Amino acid sequence: MDRYTLPRRTRGFTLLELLVVMVIIGLLAAYVGPRYFSQVGKSEIKATKAQINALEKALDQFRLDTGHYPAMEEGLAALVTKPANEAKWDGPYLTKGVPMDPWGAAYVYKIPGEHGEYDLISLGKDGQPGGTGEAADITNW
């Protein structure tokens, strides 16, 4: 027997067999992919809620020490860096600095707030006010 007349079982896969396997893998990816990426979006929303909760606790600690929440001009940076006119500041109130939301944008801090003493807002995935689903704003109220 020469090398051109090998039995079928030692020649490898045919092009048709490889195409069938690739189609099956493609179908599986099409089925699993959307489910996986929807979980990523849900985890970003949960992370945002956890960060807002941590910021609220830091703001409350700031208020306990100083008697008021940071002014609008000071913003959330007052949780990390002592404002010039704060004698009772006992921070930093955040160990790793003010975080960005999971989409890389800064949290919006408003004082006085429309829904409480202050408002904390992440504009969501789209970075625009309002929205639905993953693009919806995430707030502290």
Side-chain angles (χ1 to χ4, degrees):
M1 235 192 277
D2 64 12
R3 62 183 177 159
Y4 298 108
T5 58
L6 294 174
R8 169 150 169 73
R9 69 180 179 275
T10 61
R11 287 188 296 181
F13 298 106
T14 65
L15 181 59
L16 183 60
E17 291 169 330
L18 289 174
L19 288 174
V20 167
V21 169
M22 290 180 67
V23 166
I24 291 171
I25 290 172
L27 290 172
L28 287 173
Y31 179 73
V32 173
R35 292 174 185 248
Y36 170 75
F37 287 112
S38 72
Q39 294 301 318
V40 170
K42 288 178 186 175
S43 67
E44 288 171 333
I45 291 169
K46 287 181 183 178
T48 304
K49 289 179 181 179
Q51 286 178 338
I52 286 176
N53 190 337
L55 289 170
E56 284 182 305
K57 289 179 177 162
L59 285 165
D60 290 341
Q61 187 63 45
F62 181 98
R63 181 176 183 227
L64 285 172
D65 290 346
T66 64
H68 59 85
Y69 289 110
M72 190 80 152
E73 302 80 38
E74 298 167 342
L76 297 175
L79 299 174
V80 179
T81 307
K82 180 179 179 179
N85 58 351
E86 285 298 337
K88 297 180 182 178
W89 189 86
D90 193 28
Y93 301 98
L94 296 171
T95 57
K96 296 183 180 179
V98 180
M100 302 297 267
D101 71 12
W103 302 281
Y107 286 96
V108 177
Y109 172 68
K110 294 180 182 177
I111 189 162
E114 297 173 14
H115 302 278
E117 290 186 71
Y118 62 87
D119 292 345
L120 280 174
I121 306 165
S122 167
L123 297 176
K125 187 174 185 174
D126 65 352
Q128 302 295 320
T132 58
E134 290 180 25
D137 295 349
I138 302 165
T139 63
N140 67 324
W141 64 85

